[in-house]
Amino acid sequence: METAGVRPFHRAKIAVLGLSLLAFAGCDEALTTTIAPEPQPAQPQGLSNAYQAPSPASLDLARYYESVQNNLLTRGLLRTDGGGPDTPYDADDLARNFETIAFYNEYPGQAVASGSSRTSRQLSRWSSPVRIKPEFGPSVAPEVRQQEAARIDAYANRLSRLTGHPVSTTTRNANFHVFVAGEDDTAYVQARLRQLIPGIGQAQLDLFDKLPRSFYCFVFASASNSAPQTYTRAVALIRAEHPDLVRLSCVHEEIAQGLGLPNDSPSARPSIFNDDDEFALLTSHDEKLLTILYDPRLKPGMTADEARPVVRIIARELMGQSL
């Protein structure tokens, strides 16, 4: 992760928050408790996200992001082809990239970092079904809401097929909330988070306010004391002002990272887990990373050293290479 202003395009990495894993802006309060969350109503009482036209400031931000996307496309970036003959990789590449992306977190204790420390961690993923609910701020137009809900649903189905783990969209009792919201929607999003997560602290709520415009989207996940490497809840934010491709790119990366791939690697190619913006959408390489992550031969809590020989076997199987 880079500080604001370093790059024009920034999809923030995952932060893990919980009673035993505290991260993101050095917060001293946990995102969740060990108490199971109560089912939430489809529409929170007294809180409306009825459409309100975006403000001039939001429209200006949308024009800025459109120019950024156009610049990247002109440079041949934000590819949507998933990789090809110009991006070869083998089983060793896949295993090495998986270790870097799944077992390391460059910024374990803060949301914005100016350094680039690498901290090893244990394998983390979900054990319960992932139930994703798209959430929309009032400034998001009805046609955009419909489009993004359909995209998220299709992507959830794809992720479920790749991982063999239940991933789906839902209208109630969700544990992974994906907010598509604009500059004008901060108060709504924060109020909604207070309803979803009654114990949320102000430090976490502040993450959703006054983001630098170089931050396009982010995700955070939480675990509990009893199973600190098993995610139980996640929240992602995607700016509504993005043009279609960048918005979809954020959907792809943030949900995939929220499943347990928190890091980026400059050597990962073709991949969205790379800060070079070459690829906008999940690639063939990234599909295999997710398949490895949820392979039953790996277990939450494994260290990189413990998992390495197993990962090598799985990678060779996926690439059709002899063991």
Side-chain angles (χ1 to χ4, degrees), residues 94 287-289 291-292 313-321:
L94 191 64
E287 290 181 336
K288 293 179 179 66
L289 295 183
T291 300
I292 295 172
I313 292 171
I314 301 170
R316 289 187 174 274
E317 290 174 353
L318 291 173
M319 296 301 296
Q321 295 178 223

Side-chain angles (χ1 to χ4, degrees), residues 173-188:
N173 200 23
N175 52 19
F176 196 137
H177 295 264
V178 179
F179 283 88
V180 180
E183 270 302 92
D184 304 332
D185 302 326
T186 297
Y188 173 84

